[in-house]
Amino acid sequence: MVVQPAAFLRTTLPLDLGQLDRLDSGRYHSIWLPDHMVSFWPDSIWTPEFTDLAVASPSPHRHLDGMAVAAAAAVLTENVPLVTSVVDTVRRHPASLAQSALTIDHLSKGRFVLGLGSGESENIVPYGFDFSRPVGRFEEALHVIRLLWDSAGPVDFDGRFFRLRHARLDTEPYEGRVPPIWIGASGPRSLDIAGRYADGWWPAGAWTPDDYAEKLSRVKASAERADRDPDGITPCFIQVCVMGRDEAELAEVLQAPLVKSFLLQVSAQVLDAFGFEHPMGADWGGFHDIDPGALTRERLVDFLDRVEPEMILAMVPHGTPAQVARVVKDYVDAGLRVPKILDYGAMAGLNYAAASARNVADAEDALLSLCGSVE
């Protein structure tokens, strides 16, 4: 498998489907579509006081249904695979996911990839869904999806979370092949599940190339134990970075409140491993603890005052596009084959957002040049 970058299609308003022609040109391995109810950005700092992005959009939570947007993209493209990144198995029943995935795969003529994860609290708890035992629910949902896809007739199933009685899904797969399943996983149990079920994998967090390599080795070891081909699993990663054209611009980007807010997605335990005390306190659990509507302005102002640029620089690749590409190449050496370079510099404001797309494209070009014949 050659190294090839992935693209994002943002599933927020205003929706830009006009870029699909460019993304379908052959440059990208696949297009990844997020599926959220809300974003990580706290409401209390999504205001003109903190960012001019709030002038352009009244809310960071104007999300559309990722599966529905994938269906639209399926009929507007011809070549590139489409991947949900990721749909959780709490808000949607696995039978519905199984049917929707087959539907979009027919619409795309075999180019759909069902990307799944166990879920994040901000998309689940406010809406009254049961978020207890998410990993167990996730594994059982995967089993139900495979059962419905692989069974020739009606099936019965008695699980802890799901039950089927004479349930059937007679829609045949497109050209006899069910959609691949990619899994977002980072914890030991989830990595084991990925090895047993996944056709592709990306971690929710891998903070160094060694960390990525160790997680990937766990996935492959699990695949081997399940008598699956470990090399048949596509290694992916959403590589968060911060870019500027020079040191002065990078320093400006790092002072932006929404860029500083990236650290809300990092747990105190992880940040401590890099030698820093978390500005949210020693018990902060990272993105699992984010409640965008409940984090007050006062608490976030205190948080922002405590964020040091060095904290962010320790966590993510940074610098010029060429410098970021050299770090991402280290992840390629650790096994990564499909990177999505995600520049948080775009969150520094409208001017930076406009420049970010060029920075990402330049970083992709530099990475491909570095990778050369890597397969």
Side-chain angles (χ1 to χ4, degrees), residues 58 82 96 333 343 345:
L82 305 163
S96 177
D333 294 339
D343 175 31

PDB file of all heavy atoms in Angstrom, residues 58 82 96 333 343 345:
ATOM      1  N   PRO A  58     -22.668  31.610  13.368  1.00  0.00           N
ATOM      2  CA  PRO A  58     -23.198  31.908  14.697  1.00  0.00           C
ATOM      3  C   PRO A  58     -22.996  30.797  15.709  1.00  0.00           C
ATOM      4  O   PRO A  58     -23.152  31.014  16.907  1.00  0.00           O
ATOM      5  CB  PRO A  58     -24.695  32.124  14.434  1.00  0.00           C
ATOM      6  CG  PRO A  58     -24.979  31.311  13.201  1.00  0.00           C
ATOM      7  CD  PRO A  58     -23.742  31.419  12.371  1.00  0.00           C
ATOM      8  N   LEU A  82     -15.412   6.985   0.045  1.00  0.00           N
ATOM      9  CA  LEU A  82     -16.039   7.888   1.015  1.00  0.00           C
ATOM     10  C   LEU A  82     -16.105   7.175   2.358  1.00  0.00           C
ATOM     11  O   LEU A  82     -16.605   6.051   2.453  1.00  0.00           O
ATOM     12  CB  LEU A  82     -17.438   8.269   0.547  1.00  0.00           C
ATOM     13  CG  LEU A  82     -17.506   8.875  -0.859  1.00  0.00           C
ATOM     14  CD1 LEU A  82     -18.931   8.839  -1.386  1.00  0.00           C
ATOM     15  CD2 LEU A  82     -16.965  10.298  -0.846  1.00  0.00           C
ATOM     16  N   SER A  96     -29.784  -0.434  11.459  1.00  0.00           N
ATOM     17  CA  SER A  96     -29.902   0.754  10.630  1.00  0.00           C
ATOM     18  C   SER A  96     -28.573   1.093   9.965  1.00  0.00           C
ATOM     19  O   SER A  96     -28.527   1.461   8.779  1.00  0.00           O
ATOM     20  CB  SER A  96     -30.385   1.934  11.485  1.00  0.00           C
ATOM     21  OG  SER A  96     -30.446   3.127  10.730  1.00  0.00           O
ATOM     22  N   ASP A 333       6.991   6.053   8.814  1.00  0.00           N
ATOM     23  CA  ASP A 333       7.995   5.051   9.156  1.00  0.00           C
ATOM     24  C   ASP A 333       7.491   4.109  10.257  1.00  0.00           C
ATOM     25  O   ASP A 333       7.951   2.959  10.354  1.00  0.00           O
ATOM     26  CB  ASP A 333       9.288   5.726   9.608  1.00  0.00           C
ATOM     27  CG  ASP A 333       9.964   6.498   8.482  1.00  0.00           C
ATOM     28  OD1 ASP A 333       9.674   6.204   7.304  1.00  0.00           O
ATOM     29  OD2 ASP A 333      10.776   7.396   8.786  1.00  0.00           O
ATOM     30  N   ASP A 343      -4.786  20.965  10.066  1.00  0.00           N
ATOM     31  CA  ASP A 343      -4.104  22.152  10.574  1.00  0.00           C
ATOM     32  C   ASP A 343      -5.011  22.941  11.503  1.00  0.00           C
ATOM     33  O   ASP A 343      -5.981  23.564  11.048  1.00  0.00           O
ATOM     34  CB  ASP A 343      -3.643  23.013   9.405  1.00  0.00           C
ATOM     35  CG  ASP A 343      -3.020  24.322   9.862  1.00  0.00           C
ATOM     36  OD1 ASP A 343      -2.425  24.334  10.962  1.00  0.00           O
ATOM     37  OD2 ASP A 343      -3.124  25.322   9.127  1.00  0.00           O
ATOM     38  N   GLY A 345      -4.199  25.584  12.807  1.00  0.00           N
ATOM     39  CA  GLY A 345      -3.980  26.996  12.538  1.00  0.00           C
ATOM     40  C   GLY A 345      -5.189  27.657  11.904  1.00  0.00           C
ATOM     41  O   GLY A 345      -5.372  28.870  12.003  1.00  0.00           O
TER      42      GLY A 345
END
